[in-house]
Amino acid sequence: MDSRRVPRTVSDPKVRQVGFFAPAAPLDRSESGPPAPTSSSPPVSDVSPSGNSLSPVMIPPPRHLSTDLSRHFPLGPPISPLRVARAADTSIPVGSYNPSEFLTPTATTEFSEDPLSPRWGRRGSSGKFATSLPAGGFNMALAKQKNAVNLPPDGGSNVEVQKEQRAVTGKPLKEKTTKAERRALQEAQRAAKAAAKGEGSKTGASGVNTANSNTGKPVKAVSQKKDSSSVAASEKKGGDRQPDKDRKKDVPHPRMQFDDANRVEKAKKRSVVKQTEAKNRVELFRHLPQYEHGTQLPELESKFFQLDTVHPAVYKVGLRYLAGDISGGNARCIAMLQAFQESIKDYSTPPEKSLIRDLTTKINGYVSFLIECRPLSISMGNAIRFLKTRIAQLPLNLSESEAKVHLISDIDRFISEKIILADKVIVKHAVTKIRDGDVLLTYASSSAVEMMLLHAHELGKHFRVVIVDSRPKLEGQKLLRRLVGKGIHCTYTHINAVSYIMHEVSRVFLGASSVLSNGTVYSRVGTACVAMVAHQFHVPVLICCEAYKFHERVQLDSICSNELGDPDVISKVSGRKEINTLDGWANSENLQLLNLMYDATPSDYVSMIITDYGMIPPTSVPVIVREYRREHLWI
Amino acid sequence: MWYRSASFILDKQQQQQNDTVTNPESRPPSSASTAMAAENPNANISMYYQTRAAHHGVVTNDWLAQAQAAVGGHPDDSVSDNYVSGSEEENIRYSVVDEFNNWRKQPELAEAVAAIRALASVIRSSQATTMMELEIELKKASDALKSWDTTSISLTAGCDLFMRYVTRTSALEYEDFNSAKSRLLERAEKFGEISYKARRIIAMLSQDFIFDGCTILVHGFSRVVLEVLRTAAQNKKLFRVLCTEGRPDRTGLRLSNELAKLDIPVKLLIDSAVAYSMDEVDMVFVGADGVVESGGIINMMGTYQIALVAKSMNKPVYVAAESYKFARLYPLDQKDMVPALRPIDFGVPIPSKVEVETSARDYTPPQYLTLLFTDLGVLTPSVVSDELIQLYL
């Protein structure tokens, strides 16, 4: 068999069979254990979003499986004993499982320290999410494993275990019991943890530290330094270990649910930015953060010179997010990356710490600060993921200055290749779709669309632009100003008139904050409306979006993940007293103001997505995500 | 993409019925009629349609006579292969376009396959001494072929795919130039072989979809569709075919002629009777000039309206297309394509003030297609982009 794409196929063996399936492949997989069988139930493990390097759509070829496993498990524990340990631990002596694979001290400490610690320190919540996600299952498995390992190895036979395992895997019932068990154990651990926390953050780590042999010290140091709360510290630790828990990398992190009073309280305690919550929130959107805007800025500015945890460059960027100075996916992402560059330049590894871990912790801290200022966009999430992967992959023998130079140049390359060059390619593609005499409609302001329009104008194409805008941001006005300044013939209207103006339009070009795996376009609120009207009028809708903004998440509505803006701006018009009829009504219980920032456009309304990989139909977004995820992360 | 070709289905079949496979090659050639090309020596007509006209133009009496006479006298494929390679050795500076035209004369050979074979012969006859030189030479040859007819999608796509398939290989890392070159040649020939077999593969794949007693609507003359129907007839399936007339070059007449020869019940419709007869149709079968990135197809004028009618009556629309027709194009609407023009004979003189739409093909968006039968397997329209991305990026 000739492999056409040699480098990729070699590094990532996979067989996607179209049309004819050898029925053996999936069977084989479930029998010999996919690389992620540590999560308890097979269905879950199938769904669990690409914890390791195999993405869910790929079917690992049976014949490569052995090599595959050895690649993913450098420590080489056969999967089967884990299952036994989990499922049948009451009946068999679990300790008989030979723990030699786990003898590496880092591994043991890792398993024993804090099985609940989430991988990303940046999201506000601690352990609770574990119940609702496959990640929880994984953690529990680890916890179990730890138990197994900690028992004195009495030299039992592996053969017996293997035999047991056969029997166990045949049993469909076991997952139920394990789930219950898992939950019970988890509750217990959570309780223990809460108790420990109650005793005090410094002593709290003692129980944990019994198992710590090597890394105990740094952990303690961290928790002492950040004496605000131990939760934060332990979270940061979770972030540290990210390279080891490679498989968990892509599990979507549960977002902070802001209707959960407990956790909001907790999150507030350690936040730098003291946001005041808006009072009357719309029922469906209570899970999203909504703050009174404009109150905290002066206070934060005064704090500028007494920062300890946040680098000034990052702080500055955060404040600009907060004030709304930087907006637009690319601009925000570039600003963030440049701030990180600054902070890396000024970074020096504290004694007795490794750069990889400590820097990741630092970055996590910055990220959670930035989230407090304004929720991250998906593109920023991808950029952060990229940076963290780069940090984690730094060769250990690199000196500090070399490592820093590496990282800084990596960030530079990300900015230039994934954002700036990508935009150029997009412009090049998009221009081919503009003919003389076209009327192009765009909504709000997208940097890619603007560049494309300007470029088409430079090429001497004759076209007219309709800019559709909406309150409260009126972003289109700035775009209008720039386009008219270049001599492009423009029409400006508000979204209310979109159904009127659409009949004269021949193309709709829209930007996007992100494109999700099912082809859903997540963009400025109002985009979906424009796209639907265009679809109804049989006008093609073209989305210009860089591929680094693609995300493997699937979203069906704009409710579960969104951003709420300042509700005041939609109820007030500054400087126009006579039409501010809602003045003073903001606190009325019967009034709920909803200022959504984004919405989701279903892929049915999108004719084409123009990315740096060419023009693709929305159904091909998962293909790009699948084929280029590695490239995005590691360039 | 090619290494996953479903050609094994063909190999399996070959063991069972050798005669079936050899049959198509010994069929009468139809290149005899050059009536259309002779009638319209118009520079306005795209080359693609001139070729098509030459290969399967209007059914004329002399065509029938010549077809009858030519039975059995058709050169076998391997023979012509030898002939060409022999001439190659004599005349190294043989232009790739001439080579291509040479291949193109065989009506059974698709344009893209002819191009692929011509390009393979470029490698064979190349006197380049480095890989780079060879690649540049190949590039020039493929550009020459592409510019020979810019309107043919399958020609362009075939050349591009050939370049991808042949040059994207670890063979280029060989230290020895000659072994690398022979590896390239091997791949080129394999590619040619796969492309040549594609039609048979598609015919085999589509058999599961044709059931006894069904009525199939076909549009235009597609060699793949003909192959599909022929195979079905040979498999003793009982079905009926409705054939559109296929104005202006009346390709439907020719197809119905071919089908009648196979004893398939066939009924001719004028193009405007599609909606009228759609209720008795069970499936629509069309070929494609090109399959574009969205998963839609570009095909002979009239395909789009048939697909629309079929969609509104919930009839499946199946497209039979070889994978060398997959092109990196993405038309947004009907006008967003390289126009391919074709003269239309209305039988009466048209006043000069009346404008005539001479576009020869239209674009059918993916939402109106049910499945694509390709040599890569039976695909939904959205997989096309997947394959193209894998191949080109």
Side-chain angles (χ1 to χ4, degrees):
Chain A
M1 221 183 244
D2 273 320
S3 52
R4 290 196 40 76
R5 329 175 67 206
V6 183
R8 205 166 288 147
T9 20
V10 167
S11 69
D12 184 13
K14 63 181 177 187
V15 169
R16 287 186 322 114
Q17 286 156 314
V18 184
F20 302 95
F21 281 90
L27 263 180
D28 215 22
R29 182 183 173 218
S30 63
E31 271 169 14
S32 55
T38 31
S39 72
S40 64
S41 56
V44 169
S45 78
D46 275 342
V47 174
S48 78
S50 55
N52 42 47
S53 61
L54 287 173
S55 98
V57 277
M58 298 173 195
I59 301 167
R63 66 176 181 286
H64 290 305
L65 210 111
S66 54
T67 58
D68 221 11
L69 278 178
S70 64
R71 203 154 47 80
H72 291 302
F73 292 91
L75 291 173
I79 287 82
S80 37
L82 290 189
R83 294 201 163 197
V84 185
R86 205 169 349 104
D89 54 348
T90 45
S91 57
I92 9 162
V94 188
S96 66
Y97 169 54
N98 182 11
S100 59
E101 297 93 359
F102 300 107
L103 282 186
T104 14
T106 47
T108 4
T109 46
E110 190 213 328
F111 288 139
S112 51
E113 260 174 26
D114 184 11
L116 292 175
S117 69
R119 163 180 61 95
W120 301 98
R122 62 191 172 97
R123 304 285 188 176
S125 56
S126 62
K128 269 186 194 167
F129 69 93
T131 48
S132 61
L133 272 184
F138 175 67
N139 279 336
M140 287 322 295
L142 285 186
K144 282 281 181 182
Q145 198 174 323
K146 168 202 73 181
N147 288 349
V149 171
N150 282 350
L151 283 180
D154 55 8
S157 63
N158 263 342
V159 188
E160 206 180 294
V161 173
Q162 294 285 359
K163 242 189 280 164
E164 271 303 319
Q165 182 249 345
R166 285 284 144 70
V168 165
T169 40
K171 232 192 288 177
L173 265 180
K174 71 153 189 182
E175 43 177 284
K176 287 258 168 160
T177 57
T178 35
K179 217 172 228 171
E181 272 177 23
R182 269 192 293 136
R183 177 142 319 167
L185 204 124
Q186 197 181 328
E187 292 295 340
Q189 274 168 341
R190 199 182 293 153
K193 198 174 160 197
K197 209 196 293 166
E199 284 173 30
S201 60
K202 275 163 201 164
T203 53
S206 65
V208 164
N209 275 341
T210 51
N212 283 359
S213 52
N214 276 357
T215 54
K217 237 189 225 165
V219 166
K220 223 171 188 175
V222 168
S223 65
Q224 277 166 352
K225 198 188 84 185
K226 303 215 161 98
D227 48 358
S228 54
S229 79
S230 68
V231 183
S234 75
E235 252 175 25
K236 301 279 160 60
K237 281 188 319 193
D240 282 356
R241 235 163 283 111
Q242 180 211 348
D244 299 324
K245 295 184 177 175
D246 197 35
R247 70 190 72 185
K248 275 172 64 185
K249 190 160 284 162
D250 293 331
V251 176
H253 193 89
R255 276 177 296 282
M256 171 93 170
Q257 302 291 303
F258 282 82
D259 45 356
D260 185 337
N262 261 337
R263 282 154 79 188
V264 170
E265 232 10 79
K266 257 188 235 164
K268 258 191 181 167
K269 250 183 234 161
R270 59 170 189 276
S271 64
V272 182
V273 187
K274 297 285 177 248
Q275 301 258 37
T276 38
E277 301 257 342
K279 285 184 195 85
N280 297 324
R281 285 184 289 172
V282 180
E283 183 61 46
L284 267 178
F285 294 93
R286 291 238 169 109
H287 60 287
L288 299 172
Q290 184 171 19
Y291 303 119
E292 310 250 352
H293 282 244
T295 51
Q296 67 283 60
L297 208 54
E299 188 206 342
L300 278 175
E301 272 166 0
S302 66
K303 265 195 195 167
F304 189 80
F305 295 105
Q306 31 188 313
L307 288 174
D308 45 352
T309 54
V310 182
H311 189 275
V314 178
Y315 198 76
K316 216 157 72 183
V317 168
L319 291 191
R320 292 178 72 192
Y321 286 167
L322 196 61
D325 285 357
I326 310 179
S327 66
N330 286 342
R332 274 168 73 194
C333 194
I334 291 176
M336 177 189 73
L337 286 174
Q338 281 168 346
F340 284 164
Q341 259 182 333
E342 285 295 310
S343 71
I344 289 172
K345 247 178 230 165
D346 296 344
Y347 172 81
S348 64
T349 319
E352 293 189 41
K353 279 189 184 180
S354 75
L355 175 129
I356 294 176
R357 296 191 167 204
D358 190 59
L359 190 57
T360 316
T361 317
K362 271 265 179 357
I363 297 286
N364 282 337
Y366 298 158
V367 169
S368 47
F369 167 75
L370 291 180
I371 291 175
E372 286 160 20
C373 294
R374 187 178 164 187
L376 292 185
S377 67
I378 288 175
S379 56
M380 290 161 78
N382 282 346
I384 291 165
R385 184 141 61 127
F386 158 80
L387 178 59
K388 283 189 180 173
T389 329
R390 294 308 298 185
I391 295 175
Q393 282 178 345
L394 284 174
L396 283 169
N397 51 7
L398 231 52
S399 77
E400 188 184 304
S401 58
E402 277 173 334
K404 280 160 66 176
V405 169
H406 259 257
L407 288 177
I408 289 170
S409 74
D410 278 341
I411 294 177
D412 270 336
R413 253 178 48 210
F414 185 89
I415 293 176
S416 69
E417 280 180 20
K418 297 286 166 204
I419 305 179
I420 294 171
L421 271 179
D423 274 334
K424 290 214 171 99
V425 177
I426 288 173
V427 165
K428 214 178 73 203
H429 284 301
V431 162
T432 63
K433 290 295 166 199
I434 302 180
R435 292 168 303 188
D436 278 348
D438 264 349
V439 180
L440 313 175
L441 183 143
T442 185
Y443 176 69
S445 172
S446 151
S447 57
V449 171
E450 180 182 345
M451 272 188 271
M452 187 265 301
L453 293 174
L454 291 177
H455 185 63
H457 183 66
E458 277 165 23
L459 291 181
K461 300 211 178 201
H462 297 283
F463 59 91
R464 200 156 67 82
V465 179
V466 177
I467 298 175
V468 176
D469 208 353
S470 77
R471 289 249 312 129
K473 286 204 154 199
L474 297 177
E475 291 161 308
Q477 289 185 351
K478 285 178 198 140
L479 174 69
L480 179 72
R481 196 186 166 80
R482 289 188 290 257
L483 291 187
V484 171
K486 293 275 178 176
I488 299 177
H489 188 79
C490 291
T491 306
Y492 180 81
T493 183
H494 272 200
I495 196 166
N496 321 15
V498 72
S499 65
Y500 162 76
I501 204 84
M502 194 56 85
H503 74 90
E504 62 188 63
V505 171
S506 55
R507 299 267 190 278
V508 174
F509 282 93
L510 299 170
S513 166
S514 173
V515 181
L516 308 177
S517 228
N518 55 349
T520 299
V521 174
Y522 185 70
S523 188
R524 172 71 66 226
V525 66
T527 303
C529 172
V530 172
M532 283 177 199
V533 173
H535 179 77
Q536 199 60 41
F537 279 76
H538 292 284
V539 178
V541 177
L542 297 92
I543 305 286
C544 300
C545 182
E546 301 84 359
Y548 85 101
K549 291 177 176 173
F550 287 11
H551 199 270
E552 62 260 32
R553 191 202 298 164
V554 164
Q555 201 174 316
L556 299 174
D557 54 41
S558 18
I559 299 169
C560 50
S561 166
N562 210 322
E563 192 181 329
L564 296 179
D566 182 4
D568 280 349
V569 294
I570 57 169
S571 63
K572 282 178 199 154
V573 182
S574 55
R576 297 276 307 272
K577 269 246 154 74
E578 67 276 14
I579 57 168
N580 283 339
T581 45
L582 285 177
D583 250 358
W585 282 71
N587 294 330
S588 155
E589 261 186 34
N590 294 327
L591 175 66
Q592 296 170 337
L593 296 165
L594 177 64
N595 181 12
L596 273 183
M597 300 286 273
Y598 296 101
D599 64 13
T601 311
S603 61
D604 302 355
Y605 305 120
V606 178
S607 321
M608 175 195 285
I609 295 173
I610 305 176
T611 80
D612 27 336
Y613 297 113
M615 296 178 278
I616 58 166
T619 49
S620 286
V621 174
V623 180
I624 298 279
V625 171
R626 183 219 312 147
E627 296 283 316
Y628 297 101
R629 190 202 284 120
R630 286 168 175 280
E631 192 184 304
H632 280 311
L633 291 182
W634 302 337
I635 295 197
Chain B
M1 150 172 166
W2 297 95
Y3 65 88
R4 285 190 287 102
S5 167
S7 56
F8 62 86
I9 194 171
L10 201 60
D11 302 338
K12 228 186 287 167
Q13 200 68 22
Q14 218 147 17
Q15 293 156 4
Q16 294 164 1
Q17 14 171 261
N18 277 323
D19 50 332
T20 316
V21 179
T22 50
N23 200 16
E25 274 153 53
S26 59
R27 276 184 331 109
S30 45
S31 64
S33 163
T34 50
M36 270 307 262
E39 275 168 26
N40 308 293
N42 193 346
N44 266 348
I45 318 170
S46 49
M47 278 308 280
Y48 182 68
Y49 283 98
Q50 289 186 26
T51 315
R52 280 185 72 92
H55 283 173
H56 23 263
V58 206
V59 185
T60 57
N61 283 334
D62 70 333
W63 173 75
L64 283 174
Q66 288 186 36
Q68 288 301 322
V71 174
H74 188 57
D76 193 35
D77 203 59
S78 57
V79 174
S80 60
D81 204 347
N82 289 339
Y83 159 71
V84 169
S85 51
S87 75
E88 274 307 83
E89 280 154 26
E90 287 161 22
N91 186 7
I92 298 289
R93 288 281 124 218
Y94 207 55
S95 146
V96 64
V97 176
D98 292 343
E99 172 83 36
F100 167 66
N101 281 328
N102 208 358
W103 281 110
R104 205 166 52 92
K105 290 205 184 87
Q106 295 184 40
E108 273 310 302
L109 208 58
E111 217 172 26
V113 180
I116 288 162
R117 296 213 162 153
L119 286 175
S121 76
V122 169
I123 302 183
R124 199 179 297 123
S125 62
S126 161
Q127 287 178 323
T129 49
T130 63
M131 225 50 222
M132 207 53 186
E133 229 175 295
L134 183 59
E135 247 185 280
I136 291 169
E137 207 167 300
L138 209 51
K139 184 91 181 63
K140 271 188 194 148
S142 108
D143 286 347
L145 272 184
K146 280 195 268 182
S147 61
W148 179 78
D149 179 6
T150 48
T151 49
S152 169
I153 298 165
S154 65
L155 178 62
T156 314
C159 287
D160 286 349
L161 288 172
F162 179 88
M163 295 298 287
R164 291 274 155 175
Y165 181 75
V166 169
T167 54
R168 255 205 201 183
T169 165
S170 53
L172 302 181
E173 283 141 31
Y174 284 138
E175 284 164 23
D176 179 13
F177 172 71
N178 280 330
S179 61
K181 186 177 163 185
S182 64
R183 174 104 178 99
L184 275 193
L185 202 57
E186 195 182 299
R187 284 178 73 85
E189 264 153 18
K190 189 164 171 236
F191 184 81
E193 191 56 32
I194 294 173
S195 308
Y196 180 69
K197 279 206 244 161
R199 218 173 277 160
R200 291 290 311 146
I201 297 164
I202 293 167
M204 297 313 303
L205 285 174
S206 57
Q207 290 312 301
D208 292 342
F209 292 82
I210 298 174
F211 50 91
D212 274 345
C214 67
T215 304
I216 303 171
L217 176 73
V218 296
H219 179 66
F221 183 89
S222 156
R223 284 167 292 191
V224 200
V225 172
L226 180 60
E227 184 76 36
V228 167
L229 296 177
R230 184 189 296 130
T231 314
Q234 277 159 357
N235 287 348
K236 305 269 187 293
K237 303 224 170 172
L238 299 172
F239 59 96
R240 200 161 68 102
V241 177
L242 300 187
C243 233
T244 57
E245 181 195 6
R247 288 270 291 151
D249 45 11
R250 299 200 281 170
T251 46
L253 294 189
R254 191 178 128 71
L255 185 67
S256 59
N257 201 357
E258 295 280 345
L259 293 175
K261 270 192 251 167
L262 296 166
D263 285 335
I264 300 170
V266 55
K267 187 183 190 181
L268 262 177
L269 314 170
I270 54 170
D271 290 331
S272 36
V274 166
Y276 170 80
S277 23
M278 189 57 85
D279 58 347
E280 54 182 307
V281 168
D282 290 306
M283 67 189 77
V284 177
F285 240 107
V286 290
D289 285 0
V291 181
V292 297
E293 188 141 16
S294 60
I297 57 166
I298 293 174
N299 195 28
M300 180 189 159
M301 187 63 90
T303 308
Y304 182 36
Q305 68 193 28
I306 291 178
L308 281 173
V309 171
K311 171 85 176 175
S312 72
M313 298 203 186
N314 285 330
K315 311 284 183 185
V317 179
Y318 298 133
V319 178
E322 301 92 330
S323 54
Y324 55 71
K325 287 177 176 165
F326 287 17
R328 286 220 88 187
L329 297 171
Y330 201 138
L332 282 169
D333 49 36
Q334 302 300 327
K335 307 292 180 306
D336 193 16
M337 293 187 285
V338 183
L341 301 179
R342 183 176 51 180
I344 299 169
D345 178 19
F346 286 97
V348 288
I350 305 291
S352 59
K353 282 180 184 169
V354 176
E355 217 182 326
V356 177
E357 174 67 67
T358 53
S359 287
R361 52 197 183 198
D362 59 18
Y363 162 63
T364 310
Q367 61 263 37
Y368 302 111
L369 307 177
T370 315
L371 286 174
L372 294 148
F373 299 149
T374 74
D375 45 321
L376 306 176
V378 180
L379 314 178
T380 59
S382 59
V383 183
V384 173
S385 165
D386 192 333
E387 297 292 345
L388 281 170
I389 288 172
Q390 294 213 15
L391 196 68
Y392 278 96
L393 295 178

